[in-house]
Amino acid sequence: MSFQKLDDLNRRLEAFSHALSILGVDEAVSMATGGGEARAESMSALAGMQHRQASAPEIAEWIDAAEREDLDDEQKAAVREFKRQYVNLTCLPAEFVEKQMRTRLRSEQLWRDLRAKNDWASFEPALDGVIQMVREEAAMRADVLKLDPYDALLEQYDPGTRAATIAPVFDDLKTFLVDFVPRALAVQEEKRAKRPLKALSGSYPIERQRELGLTLMQAVGFDLTHGSLAVSHHPFCGGVPTDVRITTRYKTTEFLSSLMGVLHETGHALYEQNLPKQWAHWPLGKARGMAVHESQSLFVEKQLGCNPAFWTWALPIVEQHLGEDWAIDDILPHVHHVERGLIRVDADEVTYPLHIILRFEMEQELVAGRLQTRDIPQAWDARMKDTLGLSTIDSPGDGPMQDVHWPAGLFGYFPSYSLGAMMAAQQWATIAETMPDIDADLAEGRFERVNDWRRDNIWSQGSRWSTPELMQRATGSPLDATHFKRHLEARYG
Amino acid sequence: MSFQKLDDLNRRLEAFSHALSILGVDEAVSMATGGGEARAESMSALAGMQHRQASAPEIAEWIDAAEREDLDDEQKAAVREFKRQYVNLTCLPAEFVEKQMRTRLRSEQLWRDLRAKNDWASFEPALDGVIQMVREEAAMRADVLKLDPYDALLEQYDPGTRAATIAPVFDDLKTFLVDFVPRALAVQEEKRAKRPLKALSGSYPIERQRELGLTLMQAVGFDLTHGSLAVSHHPFCGGVPTDVRITTRYKTTEFLSSLMGVLHETGHALYEQNLPKQWAHWPLGKARGMAVHESQSLFVEKQLGCNPAFWTWALPIVEQHLGEDWAIDDILPHVHHVERGLIRVDADEVTYPLHIILRFEMEQELVAGRLQTRDIPQAWDARMKDTLGLSTIDSPGDGPMQDVHWPAGLFGYFPSYSLGAMMAAQQWATIAETMPDIDADLAEGRFERVNDWRRDNIWSQGSRWSTPELMQRATGSPLDATHFKRHLEARYG
């Protein structure tokens, strides 16, 4: 039976994925500095073997045959995702993939060096090489997937998401934010004139911050029998659904950035820990995509973790662990701090989407060939001035060179961040509509009802639906910016 | 060229070995309790793929062809080890290996449960199944390797080691120890009558013990850019030569057991870190075997770490980290404590070999069929009474059920422990002979000359020589018990 062959194949592929995930976590958390070369060799050899097994020509026949077999609904959905994975994996020729890998690696290495030097001129040719290949890649994927080129890239990260659908949503949000950011800043200034910002600086031993993080993680639903918290230079959520590894980094003079980071990664982890176990080794059993994943992390970090009701419950716990004594009006202004800045990863939830929309718009032009690599700095600067009123023309390292995504050839990825933020707001709005007293749950540290809703509507669904279908089914309507705008109005307006 | 095919194959196999090593370390150190099932599936799938690739029939042809190619000496040595690995891997039929795996797993699981219950009767049939299969395995290996059956088992752990060669060495040592143990105990009693044993109990925070361990590890030669120290329930040395992971466990009331354990694992680690890098992905570049590996760990733990000169240097460092103030005559009686006991892993270096010789003698009889499984408790008890004057007839959990080796089917492994102890003494004697002032190095924390000798004679040799050849080349004579006996006489006599 061909379905059985696909099932067996995916068990073998899962063994590689498991190993690669854990090796990746180990590299970031535990590996000695001198261990990198041998680790890279092992991982690339394993990834190569996995890729060869996953893209073997006979799999096409197994999928064809399985589609004609008498399967139940779950198995049919599984075959659909087997096929999606196989088609996306095999639509580029092997020589192209290898050349692209080399081009990307060289560009990434250059970027690491040149970003700090603000040296756009030396970096431009390498990035141009990457962009040329992204255009080729998009064209080839578009041809196989019968999609527009940029959509064929988006499809890698968010199955079913189309530029034509999300562009109006982003336009709507952009128009709103260009007006709202100055308004939010004015409101913030007014508040601080009345009650000056209280510094939260102090001495916060790492072990106490760690205990605090573990306490809140568990309260929010993280299962410590299937995951753990460690330290790494760049925080992430990795590992496997049965053993989800989240990381943070600590400063002893400040606790809030680590704590909010832990909540963010806990959001990712809850999705992974609650994926459908019976499909664990199938593509069908994986998380749906980057945007939905980001909606889960931002749900915990922003919808829950920045909610004043949440802090009613959390503040005494924080104080108990850190030995401090604050009023809620001391802490919330820090949690809700808004500031215009050049750097995406440092941005708050109000200004963040403007960073993303800029990249989304420019990516589409770059892939379509309407914008050339050499014109990126000017185009970036113009958009930054238009939306946030900031210039980066003299500091490309804080402008188009700030992120690894483009140097690494990841085009179509950026939208996920703000799609996730909007989805999280829309999910919260749906919950709040059906459970009008839900804030009282947060104020008492009860997350069962919120998590039950998310388990039923998001987590347990795996990759059963496309991203837009999943949102439609969960919230009753397609993604739009309304809920996110209302959320910002309520919190910052 | 066939040599190149073997080289390529071993690069692929190395990728699996690397992954399996790190996954093993991660499981012991970092894995969440609920992650075990998926980890076991991934590791057994990877091990299965590795085994299939390593035992493919065409490899026999590559080896044959490579033996006729024009190769340099290193390559010839590499082919010899490729062949040794291949032959040892393929001399058992796949069905036998699978049946044996199931038999061993069932016996191990039963053992875990029944050991604590002292229930030999329920365990005996499972162990008997394992022993029956060990006899079959030994016969099949013997047939292919043209060795005696028990030697064919020894060959897995110590290439070149033969029962006929080591039996007289063990006999010599046993005769000595039966007389020496009571003498050493009497000497210890006399000393304590003059100077009562000072308790070292106190409060030793884990972080301080860890810093102390790291300090001594590095001083002895451990390279922290290619390895690290972590915590696990059972201390071990794992990982890969470019990233050696050693572990320990801490008690806050006692520091010496952890510290000596760290020195022991550091000995293993130095061997791994200093293996020949140019052969890293070949069997030729691996450590020679279990006995030589144990000689390296015991060299650091016993020859260096229990040497009074070592403590002249180490004691101030220990005191500085732990905030204590001891005389060297307070600490040495703890380091050199001798005690008759039932449990091998708790034994000191004087009594330990008697535990091993008992197992070595019984193993040979069991494999040859001269001893039956049902008679093990009586045979064990008789030997324990003869050598250590202790009885285990009423406590099989502290007798023949105390170790995992036999339940897991590992016959031929035990001798390595005491072969290693004797080798370490013989290596130290060779060093002391050519560098008569070497104690002065230890007293000043200088390990360069000792490590240079070990690098030249042991570490850099990888698997170039059989175990007996390696010892002969390094020390100028075959292994004998003289040096170890002299060492015990000098330290405990």
Side-chain angles (χ1 to χ4, degrees):
Chain A
M1 187 168 143
S2 288
F3 185 84
Q4 193 56 49
K5 287 183 193 163
L6 291 169
D7 183 67
D8 292 344
L9 169 72
N10 275 278
R11 272 189 206 282
R12 290 196 299 279
L13 298 179
E14 183 65 15
F16 284 110
S17 297
H18 182 113
L20 289 166
S21 288
I22 299 298
L23 290 172
V25 171
D26 180 90
E27 176 159 352
V29 173
S30 307
M31 192 179 76
T33 52
E37 202 179 328
R39 176 63 51 86
E41 271 177 39
S42 170
M43 287 181 73
S44 79
L46 294 174
M49 287 188 260
Q50 183 187 38
H51 186 273
R52 270 193 299 283
Q53 292 193 26
S55 57
E58 61 267 30
I59 298 171
E61 294 157 32
W62 299 349
I63 291 171
D64 277 354
E67 283 177 333
R68 291 189 303 272
E69 283 170 357
D70 183 26
L71 303 174
D72 63 27
D73 279 357
E74 279 189 11
Q75 291 173 320
K76 282 182 193 157
V79 172
R80 199 193 59 230
E81 289 301 310
F82 290 149
K83 184 172 185 172
R84 212 184 71 76
Q85 177 184 270
Y86 183 73
V87 171
N88 277 288
L89 203 65
T90 53
C91 61
L92 304 178
E95 318 83 69
F96 178 85
V97 172
E98 277 167 35
K99 190 181 160 200
Q100 193 179 39
M101 174 103 53
R102 284 194 304 277
T103 308
R104 287 172 171 183
L105 278 177
R106 197 175 123 263
S107 145
E108 256 194 81
Q109 285 161 358
L110 262 179
W111 169 77
R112 277 178 219 290
D113 180 38
L114 297 173
R115 181 194 169 185
K117 299 178 182 159
N118 262 315
D119 186 353
W120 168 264
S122 307
F123 177 57
E124 192 195 298
L127 181 61
D128 193 53
V130 171
I131 290 174
Q132 299 291 350
M133 293 203 80
V134 163
R135 288 173 186 155
E136 284 184 65
E137 179 190 345
M140 283 189 278
R141 290 192 183 278
D143 193 45
V144 176
L145 300 173
K146 313 287 173 229
L147 290 173
D148 285 344
Y150 185 74
D151 284 346
L153 298 178
L154 278 179
E155 180 73 7
Q156 310 301 304
Y157 307 106
D158 280 303
T161 293
R162 305 288 171 252
T165 318
I166 60 174
V169 179
F170 276 136
D171 280 345
D172 178 10
L173 182 58
K174 181 180 166 184
T175 308
F176 168 80
L177 287 177
V178 167
D179 168 67
F180 184 71
V181 169
R183 200 139 53 85
L185 286 168
V187 168
Q188 178 170 273
E189 205 168 331
E190 265 174 52
K191 284 187 186 162
R192 293 197 182 167
K194 285 185 203 149
R195 185 185 174 99
L197 190 65
K198 173 167 180 164
L200 299 181
S201 65
S203 174
Y204 307 112
I206 287 171
E207 199 40 51
R208 286 207 208 148
Q209 289 192 59
R210 181 179 147 78
E211 288 301 326
L212 170 61
L214 285 168
T215 303
L216 294 197
M217 278 164 68
Q218 286 183 89
V220 169
F222 188 98
D223 174 3
L224 277 177
T225 68
H226 289 98
S228 54
L229 170 67
V231 171
S232 70
H233 188 66
H234 294 287
F236 64 83
C237 172
V240 293
T242 49
D243 186 10
V244 180
R245 310 291 178 89
I246 74 173
T247 69
T248 185
R249 55 186 164 189
Y250 300 103
K251 295 183 230 171
T252 53
T253 51
E254 195 270 327
F255 70 95
L256 209 51
S257 57
S258 171
L259 188 64
M260 298 314 289
V262 166
L263 289 173
H264 182 92
E265 304 307 338
T266 297
H268 284 305
L270 290 180
Y271 193 4
E272 292 291 318
Q273 288 187 333
N274 290 282
L275 284 167
K277 287 166 190 50
Q278 71 279 19
W279 306 335
H281 64 291
W282 293 346
L284 182 64
K286 310 294 179 198
R288 171 67 293 180
M290 303 308 307
V292 182
H293 230 308
E294 195 68 10
S295 80
Q296 295 313 291
S297 56
L298 292 173
F299 189 98
V300 174
E301 182 193 355
K302 304 297 190 190
Q303 298 299 326
L304 302 182
C306 298
N307 187 316
F310 178 94
W311 279 95
T312 308
W313 160 75
L315 187 58
I317 301 173
V318 172
E319 291 176 338
Q320 184 192 335
H321 280 82
L322 303 183
E324 295 276 2
D325 183 15
W326 292 307
I328 197 152
D329 290 333
D330 295 330
I331 200 108
L332 283 182
H334 288 278
V335 174
H336 295 158
H337 179 72
V338 181
E339 190 174 334
R340 280 193 188 97
L342 294 175
I343 306 299
R344 173 185 63 86
V345 296
D346 295 337
D348 54 81
E349 64 173 329
V350 183
T351 56
Y352 196 102
L354 291 171
H355 293 270
I356 293 302
I357 294 167
L358 172 154
R359 288 157 177 76
F360 170 62
E361 292 173 353
M362 285 180 65
E363 276 188 353
Q364 292 176 83
E365 297 190 0
L366 283 165
V367 171
R370 293 192 304 270
L371 177 64
Q372 302 311 319
T373 311
R374 64 177 173 277
D375 300 324
I376 288 177
Q378 286 70 25
W380 188 286
D381 188 62
R383 286 169 192 279
M384 278 301 279
K385 280 186 186 146
D386 279 355
T387 54
L388 283 167
L390 301 169
S391 171
T392 59
I393 200 71
D394 297 325
S395 55
D398 293 339
M401 287 175 80
Q402 71 182 264
D403 295 308
V404 71
H405 302 60
W406 289 353
L410 302 175
F411 284 73
Y413 186 119
F414 277 127
S416 306
Y417 295 110
S418 290
L419 292 174
M422 288 188 280
M423 288 176 181
Q426 189 160 330
Q427 289 161 17
W428 176 255
T430 306
I431 292 172
E433 198 172 44
T434 50
M435 311 171 203
D437 56 340
I438 194 67
D439 270 2
D441 282 31
L442 305 197
E444 291 170 12
R446 289 186 286 109
F447 300 96
E448 293 79 8
R449 289 201 298 162
V450 166
N451 285 349
D452 285 348
W453 186 93
R454 297 201 295 154
R455 190 177 294 106
D456 291 347
N457 290 282
I458 312 284
W459 305 337
S460 67
Q461 302 302 305
S463 283
R464 185 135 204 183
W465 319 106
S466 75
T467 301
E469 283 168 350
L470 184 71
M471 274 305 287
Q472 173 76 46
R473 296 178 66 97
T475 69
S477 51
L479 179 71
D480 73 61
T482 314
H483 306 285
F484 186 64
K485 292 191 294 184
R486 272 193 209 135
H487 159 71
L488 295 184
E489 284 278 9
R491 189 171 284 172
Y492 304 93
Chain B
M1 187 170 143
S2 287
F3 185 84
Q4 193 55 50
K5 285 184 193 162
L6 292 169
D7 183 68
D8 292 344
L9 169 71
N10 276 277
R11 271 189 207 282
R12 291 197 299 279
L13 298 180
E14 184 63 16
F16 284 111
S17 297
H18 182 114
L20 290 167
S21 287
I22 299 297
L23 291 171
V25 171
D26 180 89
E27 175 158 355
V29 172
S30 307
M31 193 180 76
T33 52
E37 202 179 328
R39 176 62 51 86
E41 271 178 38
S42 170
M43 288 183 73
S44 79
L46 294 174
M49 286 189 260
Q50 183 188 35
H51 186 274
R52 271 193 298 283
Q53 292 193 26
S55 57
E58 60 268 30
I59 298 171
E61 294 157 33
W62 300 349
I63 291 171
D64 278 353
E67 283 177 333
R68 291 189 304 273
E69 282 170 357
D70 183 27
L71 303 175
D72 63 26
D73 279 359
E74 279 189 12
Q75 291 172 321
K76 281 182 194 158
V79 172
R80 197 193 60 228
E81 288 301 310
F82 290 150
K83 185 172 184 171
R84 212 183 72 75
Q85 178 183 270
Y86 184 73
V87 171
N88 276 289
L89 204 64
T90 53
C91 61
L92 305 178
E95 318 83 70
F96 178 85
V97 172
E98 277 167 35
K99 190 180 161 202
Q100 192 178 38
M101 174 101 55
R102 286 196 301 276
T103 307
R104 286 172 170 184
L105 279 178
R106 197 174 124 262
S107 146
E108 256 195 80
Q109 285 161 357
L110 261 179
W111 169 76
R112 277 178 219 290
D113 180 37
L114 297 173
R115 180 193 169 186
K117 298 178 183 158
N118 261 313
D119 185 353
W120 169 264
S122 307
F123 178 56
E124 191 194 298
L127 181 62
D128 193 53
V130 170
I131 289 175
Q132 300 290 352
M133 293 203 79
V134 163
R135 287 172 185 156
E136 283 185 66
E137 179 191 344
M140 283 189 278
R141 290 191 183 278
D143 194 44
V144 176
L145 300 173
K146 313 289 174 226
L147 291 173
D148 284 344
Y150 185 72
D151 284 346
L153 298 178
L154 279 178
E155 180 73 8
Q156 313 299 305
Y157 307 106
D158 279 304
T161 293
R162 305 288 170 252
T165 319
I166 59 173
V169 178
F170 276 136
D171 279 346
D172 178 11
L173 182 58
K174 180 179 167 185
T175 307
F176 169 79
L177 288 177
V178 167
D179 168 67
F180 184 71
V181 169
R183 202 142 48 88
L185 286 168
V187 168
Q188 178 172 272
E189 205 167 330
E190 266 172 52
K191 284 187 185 162
R192 294 198 182 166
K194 286 184 201 149
R195 185 184 174 101
L197 190 66
K198 174 168 179 163
L200 299 182
S201 64
S203 174
Y204 308 113
I206 287 170
E207 197 42 49
R208 286 206 208 151
Q209 289 193 59
R210 180 178 147 78
E211 289 300 326
L212 170 61
L214 285 168
T215 302
L216 295 195
M217 278 164 67
Q218 285 185 89
V220 169
F222 189 98
D223 174 4
L224 277 176
T225 68
H226 288 97
S228 54
L229 171 67
V231 171
S232 70
H233 187 66
H234 293 287
F236 64 83
C237 172
V240 293
T242 50
D243 187 10
V244 180
R245 311 292 179 88
I246 73 174
T247 69
T248 186
R249 55 187 163 188
Y250 300 102
K251 295 182 228 171
T252 54
T253 51
E254 195 270 326
F255 70 95
L256 208 51
S257 57
S258 172
L259 187 63
M260 298 314 288
V262 166
L263 289 173
H264 183 92
E265 304 307 338
T266 296
H268 284 306
L270 290 180
Y271 193 5
E272 293 291 317
Q273 288 187 333
N274 290 281
L275 284 167
K277 288 168 188 49
Q278 71 278 19
W279 307 335
H281 64 292
W282 293 345
L284 182 64
K286 308 296 181 196
R288 172 66 292 182
M290 303 309 306
V292 182
H293 230 308
E294 195 70 9
S295 81
Q296 295 312 291
S297 56
L298 291 174
F299 189 97
V300 174
E301 182 193 355
K302 304 296 190 191
Q303 297 299 325
L304 302 181
C306 297
N307 187 316
F310 177 94
W311 280 94
T312 308
W313 160 75
L315 186 57
I317 301 174
V318 172
E319 290 177 340
Q320 186 192 332
H321 280 84
L322 303 182
E324 294 277 2
D325 183 14
W326 292 307
I328 197 152
D329 290 335
D330 294 332
I331 202 108
L332 283 182
H334 288 278
V335 173
H336 295 160
H337 178 73
V338 180
E339 190 175 334
R340 280 193 188 98
L342 295 176
I343 306 299
R344 176 185 62 86
V345 296
D346 295 338
D348 53 82
E349 62 174 330
V350 182
T351 55
Y352 195 103
L354 291 171
H355 293 270
I356 293 303
I357 293 168
L358 173 154
R359 288 158 176 78
F360 170 62
E361 292 173 353
M362 286 180 66
E363 277 188 354
Q364 293 177 82
E365 297 189 359
L366 284 164
V367 171
R370 293 191 302 269
L371 176 65
Q372 302 312 319
T373 311
R374 64 176 173 277
D375 300 323
I376 287 177
Q378 284 71 22
W380 187 286
D381 187 62
R383 285 169 191 278
M384 278 300 278
K385 280 187 188 146
D386 279 354
T387 55
L388 283 166
L390 300 169
S391 170
T392 60
I393 201 70
D394 298 325
S395 54
D398 291 340
M401 288 175 80
Q402 70 182 264
D403 295 307
V404 72
H405 302 60
W406 288 354
L410 302 175
F411 284 73
Y413 186 119
F414 277 127
S416 306
Y417 295 109
S418 289
L419 292 174
M422 288 188 281
M423 286 176 182
Q426 189 160 329
Q427 290 160 17
W428 175 255
T430 306
I431 291 172
E433 200 174 42
T434 51
M435 312 171 204
D437 55 340
I438 194 67
D439 270 3
D441 282 31
L442 304 198
E444 291 170 13
R446 290 186 285 109
F447 301 95
E448 294 78 9
R449 291 201 296 163
V450 166
N451 285 349
D452 286 346
W453 186 92
R454 296 201 296 153
R455 190 177 294 106
D456 291 345
N457 290 282
I458 312 285
W459 304 338
S460 66
Q461 302 302 306
S463 283
R464 186 136 205 184
W465 319 105
S466 75
T467 301
E469 282 167 351
L470 184 69
M471 274 306 286
Q472 172 77 46
R473 295 178 65 96
T475 69
S477 51
L479 178 71
D480 72 60
T482 314
H483 306 284
F484 185 65
K485 292 191 295 182
R486 274 192 206 136
H487 159 73
L488 296 184
E489 284 278 10
R491 189 171 287 171
Y492 304 93

